[in-house]
Amino acid sequence: MNRHQTALQLLHEGTVIPALPLALDAERRFDPARERTLLRYYFDAGAGGIAAAVHTTQFAIRDPKVGLFEPLLALVSEEAGRYEEQSGRALVRIAGACGETAQAVREAELAREYGFDAVLLSPGGLPGYTEDDFVERTRAVAEVLPVVGFYLQPSVGGRVFSYDYWQKICAIENVVAIKSAPFNRYQTLELVRAAALSPRSGEIALYTGNDDNIVVDLLTEYAFSDENGQIRRKGFAGGLLGHWAVWTRRAAELFEELKQYRGRAEIPSELLTRAAQVTDCNSAFFDTAHSFAGCIAGVHEVLRRQGLLEGIWCLDPEEGLSPGQAEEIDRVYRMYPDLNDDAFVRENLARWAE
């Protein structure tokens, strides 16, 4: 089995995949050294892969004036390859792709060139596309690389898709996973049902992107009766999350703990308590009080406090923490000290920065 096949097998089995932030300096220029430090942190923390050029990385990297899409893919591929060689452990490399069909295909081709394993195909920013247009776009990209479908919440540029749409997406042969991030129980349920009842169900791994419901998503086994009365079961194999871009060591440990309870009759109530705590932390990091306006800066702020980033700078000078957001991050640090991995970062930061 080659590296690519091993990575896709890991994706299918389920793992922790952080959404990669973009490291910038005080002049808002790309900081490759800090980006490498960040990647080494994720890999050593127990992440099974990385998702680059996604929302957390900032879509503006594609702007010709910024020109960071390809350099970022190159750096991530190089650092992942170095880690794989040293550790003997394969990593799942996922590249975000967005825009109209031609752009998404070009981005997938670049991702393939740099050794990525799959494409997370964003549905954002295409108001003129019908569901059938999105299906054809997915099919075109899937001819280049395996596709991770994406249910993105409308509040950050996504849209509500029908059950029929997800049936069609699941039927595309090279769709290997779907990230569910509508932040909505009803819409998540429809997606899971479509995947569970699909003839390709066994070939599609579901990943939670519902940062407001991470733990419960990973604990839940869904069961649906098909037309023949047979019960078809499906659950989330792993998570591909912006929330897992911070406190990643604890996220990886929690993921391993949750795997032990999949399909079991009894689940400790303490895990449900922790589920609410994780959601509360996400509220602070993602700035739900201001409709996610400070979500990227909030992730940066946690990484800055740990020394992994120098500052919270974003490509857009107008993008930063919302009023009161820093205090909310203070609060969750104080309330849930067991959820942070500050000690792990302190012990290893100098080595990662070498």
Side-chain angles (χ1 to χ4, degrees), residues 5 33 39 63 71 96 112 117 134 171 237 241 244 246 252 273 288 326 336:
Q5 291 169 327
L39 286 163
D63 187 327
R112 182 179 61 189
D117 302 298
F134 277 111
L241 295 150
W244 280 355
V246 299
T273 299
T288 60
Y336 315 120

Side-chain angles (χ1 to χ4, degrees), residues 68-80:
L68 287 178
F69 182 78
E70 190 169 352
L72 182 76
L73 293 188
L75 185 148
V76 171
S77 181
E78 180 185 338
E79 202 59 45

Side-chain angles (χ1 to χ4, degrees), residues 124-137:
L126 298 169
Y129 269 49
T130 65
E131 288 194 348
D132 285 342
D133 292 333
F134 277 111
V135 171
E136 291 308 312
R137 174 175 176 259

